[in-house]
Amino acid sequence: MPLPVRRKTLVLVLALGAALAFVAVAYAGNAGFAPATPHSPNAVGINNTYKWIAIYTGAIFVVVEGALLWFVIRYRRRGRPRSAEGPQIHAHTRLELIWTVIPVLILAAILGFVFYELPGIKNIPSASAQGGQLRIRIDAHQFYWQFTYPTGAVSFDELHVPIHRVVKLDIYSRDVAHSWWIPELGGKFDAIPGRHNQTWFKADQAGTYRGRCGEFCGVFHAEMAARVFVESPAAYRAWVSTKAAAELGQNEWVENCAKCHGPQGQGDYGPNITTNGLLVQPQGLRTLLLTGQNRIKPTSSYMPPVARGWSDKQFAALDMYLRRNIYKGSSSGG
């Protein structure tokens, strides 16, 4: 292939690659530049910090790469033999001081801004005007999130909170390392076995905010999504006082069991369990859910201990839902 054609082909390939990269960026959230639009004060601080650092690093990239291209063109070989050295410049003290001091000032500006924003990200604001903090416990399991409210209500994968109220989250893990992350409502916080972590948010707009586990936690990690429903105080009180209990069994099935066994128990990654008599044997089912099965290789039928920490009320709700909606075997099985 002639040299001019080879050069044109190379330029075309590079241009096509750059175009594809920019298309991917354009389809990302917020035009691919910024994180998701924040809807909590701590998320605003994270967003501002990200943009501040991105502006500095972007400017540095343009200056450095621009200088590199200029030097490549300005001091190109121009017919010199390959073995000949170009002009050498030595001992430019002022220039060396400039390129040392400028990065120090840039790092100091970035560090100063981060420390300015950090209290607003980490510290929980006063919540007396909204009726005090709403404290909710999060237990991470393979492969779902369990939320326990101050009233004792429980939900799975769906967290309900009132708008404009400070929500403090106590984060735990019941098995392996997970990571709680709702980008629009704050940063990422790990759920680590044997350790208690905390975070908070204060949603400024009603709606549904989506997130997922930010730590690879096993074969069904991708199914460990989370949704935060921000609603009016009245709607929140109605849900936590009545709907949570009424929906508990279904919520347990859909967000826990069905992820593996299918919406109707018909089988998916896990086996068909619609006629399994264990579904209507409360004590046997409880033992299975608490201990799991086949934890030694081969793990073709491995089931994690999905119900660690469950209350009697939770087991009873699942038992009732299974009998009414999932079990299709003989009525004498229970």
Side-chain angles (χ1 to χ4, degrees), residues 71-147:
F71 275 96
V72 168
I73 296 171
R74 174 69 177 80
Y75 297 102
R76 63 190 184 276
R77 186 159 55 91
R78 289 182 174 173
R80 288 195 311 271
R82 289 184 177 274
S83 59
E85 291 189 1
Q88 303 296 304
I89 301 174
H90 299 281
H92 200 306
T93 304
R94 193 166 86 175
L95 181 61
E96 291 173 356
L97 287 174
I98 289 173
W99 72 41
T100 301
V101 170
I102 289 178
V104 170
L105 293 177
I106 291 173
L107 290 175
I110 292 175
L111 188 64
F113 188 81
V114 169
F115 275 101
Y116 171 77
E117 290 285 352
L118 190 59
I121 297 172
K122 183 179 179 181
N123 298 338
I124 302 176
S126 173
S128 57
Q130 299 89 29
Q133 296 174 2
L134 175 61
R135 192 162 185 169
I136 298 174
R137 175 176 174 132
I138 299 178
D139 285 290
H141 295 254
Q142 290 181 307
F143 297 95
Y144 66 90
W145 303 98
Q146 176 178 310
F147 309 105

Side-chain angles (χ1 to χ4, degrees), residues 117-195:
E117 290 285 352
L118 190 59
I121 297 172
K122 183 179 179 181
N123 298 338
I124 302 176
S126 173
S128 57
Q130 299 89 29
Q133 296 174 2
L134 175 61
R135 192 162 185 169
I136 298 174
R137 175 176 174 132
I138 299 178
D139 285 290
H141 295 254
Q142 290 181 307
F143 297 95
Y144 66 90
W145 303 98
Q146 176 178 310
F147 309 105
T148 306
Y149 301 80
T151 61
V154 174
S155 65
F156 290 72
D157 285 353
E158 299 179 353
L159 174 61
H160 291 255
V161 298
I163 190 173
H164 299 312
R165 186 171 176 184
V166 174
V167 179
K168 185 176 181 180
L169 303 174
D170 297 297
I171 305 172
Y172 300 87
S173 172
R174 290 286 183 175
D175 36 53
V176 301
H178 303 270
S179 189
W180 168 257
W181 189 30
I182 308 293
E184 294 170 285
L185 299 178
K188 186 176 356 178
F189 282 80
D190 288 341
I192 303 173
R195 182 171 176 179

